Amino acid sequence: MTFDVSRYRTGYSLAVGGVTLSGSRVLLVHRALGSGPGADTWALPGGFVERHESVHAAVQREVFEETCVRAEVVGLIAAMNRVLDEANDTYLIFLLGTDDRDARPDGVEVDEARFVTLEELSSLPRLQSLTRLIVTPILQGEVTLLPPFPHPR
């Protein structure tokens, strides 16, 4: 039996999302019209991990690219996996912290970015259900984290 490398590393994606807190506020983005799945919804900033990038670096980069907010990874909140006929997708959601409160959208994928409180969360139109599910307990102080462990080289 020979090893068939073509069965691996194709049809997979790894994506990250960031729950970025500044005090008692969470950073959310409004996905611009025409920006793919999730267009015209409020969501967590995030995106795909690049080939030579760690997941921690990816979530910090995605948060910054979409909102101009610099944040530090605190820990892992959730890991999800979706298996379809044509793809196997993994999504990691991290908690990040920042002292920044000035969010600016990238104007391409995101047309609005802002920090919101728990009370403001309920009034956002078209808030993604996963975002509500993840963010609500965190803003209520209920979070269990897996802290980041850097991999030794």
Side-chain angles (χ1 to χ4, degrees), residues 37-85:
D40 192 31
T41 60
W42 284 93
L44 298 172
F48 292 106
V49 178
E50 295 176 2
R51 181 172 161 79
H52 297 289
E53 183 176 47
S54 73
V55 292
H56 297 128
V59 72
Q60 289 175 303
R61 174 186 53 78
E62 285 289 347
V63 167
F64 182 75
E65 283 178 0
E66 293 183 3
T67 69
C68 294
V69 170
R70 294 201 186 278
E72 295 297 320
V73 173
V74 177
L76 179 66
I77 297 170
M80 296 177 303
N81 180 244
R82 177 177 60 183
V83 179
L84 306 169
D85 287 340

Short mmCIF file of all heavy atoms in Angstrom, two decimals, residues 37-85:
data_model
loop_
_atom_site.label_atom_id
_atom_site.label_comp_id
_atom_site.label_asym_id
_atom_site.label_seq_id
_atom_site.Cartn_x
_atom_site.Cartn_y
_atom_site.Cartn_z
N PRO A 37 -20.52 35.00 2.24
CA PRO A 37 -21.45 34.49 3.25
C PRO A 37 -21.44 35.41 4.47
O PRO A 37 -20.41 35.90 4.89
CB PRO A 37 -20.86 33.11 3.60
CG PRO A 37 -19.97 32.76 2.47
CD PRO A 37 -19.47 34.05 1.89
N GLY A 38 -22.61 35.66 4.98
CA GLY A 38 -22.71 36.53 6.15
C GLY A 38 -22.81 38.00 5.80
O GLY A 38 -22.77 38.85 6.69
N ALA A 39 -22.95 38.33 4.51
CA ALA A 39 -23.07 39.74 4.12
C ALA A 39 -24.27 40.38 4.81
O ALA A 39 -25.29 39.73 5.03
CB ALA A 39 -23.19 39.85 2.61
N ASP A 40 -24.11 41.64 5.16
CA ASP A 40 -25.16 42.44 5.82
C ASP A 40 -25.55 41.87 7.18
O ASP A 40 -26.70 41.90 7.57
CB ASP A 40 -26.39 42.59 4.91
CG ASP A 40 -27.37 43.63 5.45
OD1 ASP A 40 -26.91 44.60 6.09
OD2 ASP A 40 -28.58 43.48 5.23
N THR A 41 -24.56 41.32 7.89
CA THR A 41 -24.80 40.85 9.26
C THR A 41 -23.71 41.39 10.18
O THR A 41 -22.62 41.75 9.73
CB THR A 41 -24.79 39.30 9.36
OG1 THR A 41 -23.51 38.81 8.94
CG2 THR A 41 -25.88 38.68 8.52
N TRP A 42 -24.02 41.43 11.46
CA TRP A 42 -23.04 41.76 12.49
C TRP A 42 -22.40 40.46 12.96
O TRP A 42 -23.09 39.47 13.17
CB TRP A 42 -23.70 42.47 13.66
CG TRP A 42 -24.01 43.90 13.33
CD1 TRP A 42 -25.18 44.40 12.82
CD2 TRP A 42 -23.13 45.01 13.46
NE1 TRP A 42 -25.07 45.74 12.62
CE2 TRP A 42 -23.82 46.16 13.01
CE3 TRP A 42 -21.82 45.16 13.92
CZ2 TRP A 42 -23.25 47.43 13.01
CZ3 TRP A 42 -21.25 46.41 13.93
CH2 TRP A 42 -21.96 47.52 13.48
N ALA A 43 -21.07 40.48 13.14
CA ALA A 43 -20.35 39.26 13.46
C ALA A 43 -19.05 39.57 14.17
O ALA A 43 -18.67 40.73 14.33
CB ALA A 43 -20.07 38.49 12.17
N LEU A 44 -18.35 38.52 14.53
CA LEU A 44 -17.00 38.64 15.06
C LEU A 44 -16.04 38.89 13.91
O LEU A 44 -16.22 38.33 12.83
CB LEU A 44 -16.58 37.35 15.76
CG LEU A 44 -17.40 36.91 16.96
CD1 LEU A 44 -16.99 35.52 17.40
CD2 LEU A 44 -17.25 37.92 18.08
N PRO A 45 -15.01 39.70 14.11
CA PRO A 45 -14.00 39.80 13.08
C PRO A 45 -13.23 38.49 12.97
O PRO A 45 -13.06 37.78 13.97
CB PRO A 45 -13.09 40.94 13.56
CG PRO A 45 -13.40 41.13 15.00
CD PRO A 45 -14.75 40.56 15.26
N GLY A 46 -12.79 38.16 11.78
CA GLY A 46 -12.04 36.93 11.60
C GLY A 46 -11.89 36.57 10.15
O GLY A 46 -12.36 37.28 9.26
N GLY A 47 -11.22 35.45 9.91
CA GLY A 47 -11.00 35.00 8.54
C GLY A 47 -10.11 33.78 8.52
O GLY A 47 -9.91 33.11 9.54
N PHE A 48 -9.54 33.51 7.36
CA PHE A 48 -8.74 32.31 7.15
C PHE A 48 -7.31 32.45 7.65
O PHE A 48 -6.72 33.53 7.58
CB PHE A 48 -8.72 31.93 5.67
CG PHE A 48 -10.06 31.48 5.17
CD1 PHE A 48 -10.82 32.30 4.35
CD2 PHE A 48 -10.56 30.24 5.52
CE1 PHE A 48 -12.06 31.89 3.89
CE2 PHE A 48 -11.80 29.82 5.06
CZ PHE A 48 -12.55 30.65 4.25
N VAL A 49 -6.76 31.34 8.11
CA VAL A 49 -5.36 31.27 8.51
C VAL A 49 -4.54 31.05 7.25
O VAL A 49 -4.87 30.19 6.43
CB VAL A 49 -5.13 30.10 9.51
CG1 VAL A 49 -3.67 29.98 9.89
CG2 VAL A 49 -6.02 30.29 10.74
N GLU A 50 -3.48 31.83 7.10
CA GLU A 50 -2.61 31.69 5.94
C GLU A 50 -1.62 30.55 6.16
O GLU A 50 -1.36 30.14 7.29
CB GLU A 50 -1.90 33.01 5.66
CG GLU A 50 -2.90 34.10 5.26
CD GLU A 50 -2.29 35.46 5.07
OE1 GLU A 50 -1.05 35.61 5.21
OE2 GLU A 50 -3.05 36.40 4.79
N ARG A 51 -1.06 30.06 5.08
CA ARG A 51 -0.23 28.85 5.08
C ARG A 51 0.89 28.85 6.12
O ARG A 51 1.07 27.88 6.83
CB ARG A 51 0.35 28.63 3.68
CG ARG A 51 1.21 27.41 3.58
CD ARG A 51 1.59 27.13 2.13
NE ARG A 51 2.72 26.26 2.00
CZ ARG A 51 2.68 24.95 2.12
NH1 ARG A 51 1.56 24.36 2.42
NH2 ARG A 51 3.77 24.22 1.97
N HIS A 52 1.65 29.89 6.24
CA HIS A 52 2.80 29.92 7.16
C HIS A 52 2.53 30.81 8.36
O HIS A 52 3.42 31.53 8.81
CB HIS A 52 4.06 30.38 6.41
CG HIS A 52 4.46 29.46 5.32
ND1 HIS A 52 5.00 28.21 5.57
CD2 HIS A 52 4.38 29.56 3.98
CE1 HIS A 52 5.24 27.60 4.43
NE2 HIS A 52 4.87 28.41 3.43
N GLU A 53 1.34 30.70 8.92
CA GLU A 53 0.91 31.60 9.99
C GLU A 53 0.33 30.77 11.14
O GLU A 53 -0.40 29.80 10.91
CB GLU A 53 -0.16 32.53 9.41
CG GLU A 53 -0.70 33.57 10.32
CD GLU A 53 -1.68 34.48 9.60
OE1 GLU A 53 -2.58 33.98 8.89
OE2 GLU A 53 -1.57 35.70 9.78
N SER A 54 0.64 31.15 12.36
CA SER A 54 0.03 30.48 13.51
C SER A 54 -1.41 30.98 13.66
O SER A 54 -1.77 32.05 13.16
CB SER A 54 0.81 30.78 14.79
OG SER A 54 0.58 32.11 15.20
N VAL A 55 -2.24 30.21 14.36
CA VAL A 55 -3.62 30.63 14.57
C VAL A 55 -3.68 31.89 15.42
O VAL A 55 -4.56 32.74 15.21
CB VAL A 55 -4.49 29.50 15.17
CG1 VAL A 55 -4.67 28.38 14.17
CG2 VAL A 55 -3.94 28.98 16.48
N HIS A 56 -2.75 32.04 16.37
CA HIS A 56 -2.73 33.25 17.20
C HIS A 56 -2.41 34.47 16.36
O HIS A 56 -3.05 35.52 16.50
CB HIS A 56 -1.73 33.11 18.35
CG HIS A 56 -2.08 32.02 19.30
ND1 HIS A 56 -1.21 31.04 19.66
CD2 HIS A 56 -3.23 31.74 19.95
CE1 HIS A 56 -1.79 30.20 20.50
NE2 HIS A 56 -3.03 30.61 20.68
N ALA A 57 -1.39 34.36 15.50
CA ALA A 57 -1.04 35.47 14.63
C ALA A 57 -2.18 35.79 13.67
O ALA A 57 -2.47 36.96 13.38
CB ALA A 57 0.24 35.16 13.86
N ALA A 58 -2.86 34.74 13.18
CA ALA A 58 -3.96 34.94 12.23
C ALA A 58 -5.11 35.72 12.84
O ALA A 58 -5.65 36.64 12.21
CB ALA A 58 -4.45 33.60 11.70
N VAL A 59 -5.51 35.38 14.06
CA VAL A 59 -6.65 36.08 14.66
C VAL A 59 -6.28 37.53 14.97
O VAL A 59 -7.08 38.44 14.77
CB VAL A 59 -7.24 35.33 15.88
CG1 VAL A 59 -6.33 35.41 17.10
CG2 VAL A 59 -8.63 35.85 16.20
N GLN A 60 -5.05 37.77 15.41
CA GLN A 60 -4.62 39.16 15.64
C GLN A 60 -4.60 39.94 14.33
O GLN A 60 -5.04 41.09 14.28
CB GLN A 60 -3.24 39.19 16.29
CG GLN A 60 -3.26 38.71 17.73
CD GLN A 60 -1.87 38.62 18.31
OE1 GLN A 60 -0.99 37.93 17.79
NE2 GLN A 60 -1.66 39.34 19.39
N ARG A 61 -4.09 39.32 13.27
CA ARG A 61 -4.03 39.97 11.96
C ARG A 61 -5.42 40.28 11.45
O ARG A 61 -5.70 41.39 10.99
CB ARG A 61 -3.29 39.08 10.95
CG ARG A 61 -3.31 39.64 9.52
CD ARG A 61 -2.70 38.69 8.51
NE ARG A 61 -3.24 37.34 8.54
CZ ARG A 61 -4.41 36.97 8.01
NH1 ARG A 61 -5.20 37.85 7.43
NH2 ARG A 61 -4.80 35.70 8.07
N GLU A 62 -6.33 39.30 11.51
CA GLU A 62 -7.69 39.49 11.01
C GLU A 62 -8.42 40.60 11.76
O GLU A 62 -9.09 41.43 11.15
CB GLU A 62 -8.48 38.19 11.05
CG GLU A 62 -8.11 37.20 9.99
CD GLU A 62 -8.55 37.60 8.58
OE1 GLU A 62 -9.37 38.54 8.42
OE2 GLU A 62 -8.08 36.97 7.63
N VAL A 63 -8.30 40.60 13.09
CA VAL A 63 -8.94 41.67 13.88
C VAL A 63 -8.38 43.02 13.45
O VAL A 63 -9.14 43.97 13.22
CB VAL A 63 -8.75 41.44 15.40
CG1 VAL A 63 -9.11 42.67 16.20
CG2 VAL A 63 -9.58 40.23 15.85
N PHE A 64 -7.07 43.11 13.30
CA PHE A 64 -6.46 44.39 12.90
C PHE A 64 -6.87 44.78 11.48
O PHE A 64 -7.23 45.93 11.24
CB PHE A 64 -4.94 44.33 13.02
CG PHE A 64 -4.30 45.64 12.66
CD1 PHE A 64 -4.36 46.72 13.52
CD2 PHE A 64 -3.67 45.80 11.43
CE1 PHE A 64 -3.81 47.95 13.17
CE2 PHE A 64 -3.11 47.02 11.07
CZ PHE A 64 -3.18 48.10 11.94
N GLU A 65 -6.81 43.84 10.54
CA GLU A 65 -7.15 44.17 9.15
C GLU A 65 -8.58 44.67 9.01
O GLU A 65 -8.85 45.60 8.24
CB GLU A 65 -6.98 42.93 8.25
CG GLU A 65 -5.56 42.61 7.90
CD GLU A 65 -5.42 41.36 7.04
OE1 GLU A 65 -6.44 40.71 6.70
OE2 GLU A 65 -4.28 41.02 6.72
N GLU A 66 -9.50 44.08 9.74
CA GLU A 66 -10.90 44.45 9.60
C GLU A 66 -11.32 45.65 10.43
O GLU A 66 -12.30 46.32 10.10
CB GLU A 66 -11.79 43.25 9.94
CG GLU A 66 -11.65 42.12 8.95
CD GLU A 66 -12.57 40.95 9.22
OE1 GLU A 66 -13.39 41.01 10.16
OE2 GLU A 66 -12.47 39.95 8.47
N THR A 67 -10.56 45.96 11.52
CA THR A 67 -11.02 46.99 12.45
C THR A 67 -9.97 48.02 12.87
O THR A 67 -10.29 48.97 13.57
CB THR A 67 -11.55 46.35 13.75
OG1 THR A 67 -10.44 45.77 14.45
CG2 THR A 67 -12.61 45.30 13.46
N CYS A 68 -8.70 47.81 12.50
CA CYS A 68 -7.58 48.67 12.92
C CYS A 68 -7.36 48.62 14.44
O CYS A 68 -6.77 49.53 15.02
CB CYS A 68 -7.76 50.11 12.46
SG CYS A 68 -7.69 50.29 10.67
N VAL A 69 -7.82 47.57 15.09
CA VAL A 69 -7.63 47.40 16.53
C VAL A 69 -6.52 46.37 16.76
O VAL A 69 -6.57 45.27 16.21
CB VAL A 69 -8.95 46.93 17.22
CG1 VAL A 69 -8.71 46.51 18.66
CG2 VAL A 69 -9.99 48.03 17.15
N ARG A 70 -5.54 46.74 17.56
CA ARG A 70 -4.47 45.80 17.95
C ARG A 70 -4.89 45.14 19.26
O ARG A 70 -5.26 45.84 20.21
CB ARG A 70 -3.16 46.54 18.12
CG ARG A 70 -2.65 47.10 16.81
CD ARG A 70 -1.16 47.36 16.84
NE ARG A 70 -0.71 48.01 15.63
CZ ARG A 70 -0.43 47.40 14.50
NH1 ARG A 70 -0.57 46.09 14.41
NH2 ARG A 70 -0.02 48.06 13.43
N ALA A 71 -4.83 43.81 19.28
CA ALA A 71 -5.29 43.06 20.45
C ALA A 71 -4.37 41.88 20.70
O ALA A 71 -3.69 41.41 19.80
CB ALA A 71 -6.72 42.58 20.24
N GLU A 72 -4.36 41.40 21.94
CA GLU A 72 -3.54 40.27 22.35
C GLU A 72 -4.44 39.07 22.66
O GLU A 72 -5.50 39.22 23.28
CB GLU A 72 -2.72 40.62 23.59
CG GLU A 72 -1.69 41.71 23.36
CD GLU A 72 -0.63 41.31 22.34
OE1 GLU A 72 -0.18 40.15 22.37
OE2 GLU A 72 -0.26 42.17 21.51
N VAL A 73 -3.99 37.89 22.27
CA VAL A 73 -4.74 36.66 22.52
C VAL A 73 -4.67 36.31 24.01
O VAL A 73 -3.60 36.30 24.60
CB VAL A 73 -4.18 35.48 21.68
CG1 VAL A 73 -4.85 34.17 22.06
CG2 VAL A 73 -4.35 35.77 20.19
N VAL A 74 -5.84 36.04 24.58
CA VAL A 74 -5.95 35.63 25.98
C VAL A 74 -6.11 34.12 26.08
O VAL A 74 -5.52 33.48 26.95
CB VAL A 74 -7.13 36.35 26.67
CG1 VAL A 74 -7.30 35.88 28.11
CG2 VAL A 74 -6.95 37.86 26.60
N GLY A 75 -6.90 33.55 25.17
CA GLY A 75 -7.11 32.10 25.19
C GLY A 75 -8.11 31.67 24.14
O GLY A 75 -8.70 32.49 23.45
N LEU A 76 -8.29 30.36 24.07
CA LEU A 76 -9.23 29.76 23.12
C LEU A 76 -10.59 29.58 23.79
O LEU A 76 -10.68 29.03 24.88
CB LEU A 76 -8.69 28.40 22.65
CG LEU A 76 -9.54 27.61 21.67
CD1 LEU A 76 -9.63 28.33 20.32
CD2 LEU A 76 -8.97 26.21 21.48
N ILE A 77 -11.64 30.03 23.11
CA ILE A 77 -13.00 29.92 23.63
C ILE A 77 -13.70 28.68 23.09
O ILE A 77 -14.35 27.95 23.82
CB ILE A 77 -13.84 31.16 23.25
CG1 ILE A 77 -13.26 32.41 23.87
CG2 ILE A 77 -15.30 30.98 23.64
CD1 ILE A 77 -13.88 33.69 23.36
N ALA A 78 -13.59 28.46 21.78
CA ALA A 78 -14.35 27.38 21.16
C ALA A 78 -13.66 26.89 19.89
O ALA A 78 -12.93 27.64 19.25
CB ALA A 78 -15.76 27.87 20.81
N ALA A 79 -13.91 25.63 19.57
CA ALA A 79 -13.45 25.04 18.32
C ALA A 79 -14.63 24.33 17.70
O ALA A 79 -15.34 23.58 18.37
CB ALA A 79 -12.31 24.06 18.58
N MET A 80 -14.86 24.60 16.42
CA MET A 80 -15.97 23.98 15.72
C MET A 80 -15.49 23.38 14.42
O MET A 80 -14.52 23.86 13.84
CB MET A 80 -17.06 25.01 15.47
CG MET A 80 -17.64 25.52 16.77
SD MET A 80 -18.86 26.82 16.55
CE MET A 80 -17.95 28.01 15.65
N ASN A 81 -16.18 22.35 13.98
CA ASN A 81 -15.82 21.67 12.75
C ASN A 81 -17.08 21.38 11.96
O ASN A 81 -18.09 20.97 12.52
CB ASN A 81 -15.07 20.37 13.09
CG ASN A 81 -14.65 19.59 11.88
OD1 ASN A 81 -15.11 18.49 11.67
ND2 ASN A 81 -13.76 20.15 11.09
N ARG A 82 -17.01 21.64 10.65
CA ARG A 82 -18.15 21.37 9.77
C ARG A 82 -17.64 20.51 8.62
O ARG A 82 -16.70 20.90 7.92
CB ARG A 82 -18.73 22.68 9.26
CG ARG A 82 -19.87 22.49 8.29
CD ARG A 82 -20.45 23.79 7.85
NE ARG A 82 -19.43 24.61 7.20
CZ ARG A 82 -19.63 25.83 6.74
NH1 ARG A 82 -20.80 26.42 6.92
NH2 ARG A 82 -18.67 26.49 6.14
N VAL A 83 -18.25 19.34 8.43
CA VAL A 83 -17.87 18.44 7.36
C VAL A 83 -19.00 18.40 6.34
O VAL A 83 -20.13 18.06 6.67
CB VAL A 83 -17.58 17.02 7.90
CG1 VAL A 83 -17.21 16.09 6.76
CG2 VAL A 83 -16.49 17.06 8.95
N LEU A 84 -18.65 18.77 5.12
CA LEU A 84 -19.60 18.75 4.01
C LEU A 84 -19.06 17.80 2.94
O LEU A 84 -17.92 17.34 3.04
CB LEU A 84 -19.75 20.16 3.42
CG LEU A 84 -20.13 21.26 4.41
CD1 LEU A 84 -19.99 22.63 3.77
CD2 LEU A 84 -21.54 21.04 4.91
N ASP A 85 -19.83 17.55 1.92
CA ASP A 85 -19.35 16.68 0.85
C ASP A 85 -18.08 17.21 0.21
O ASP A 85 -17.17 16.45 -0.12
CB ASP A 85 -20.43 16.51 -0.23
CG ASP A 85 -21.57 15.63 0.23
OD1 ASP A 85 -21.38 14.85 1.19
OD2 ASP A 85 -22.66 15.71 -0.38
#
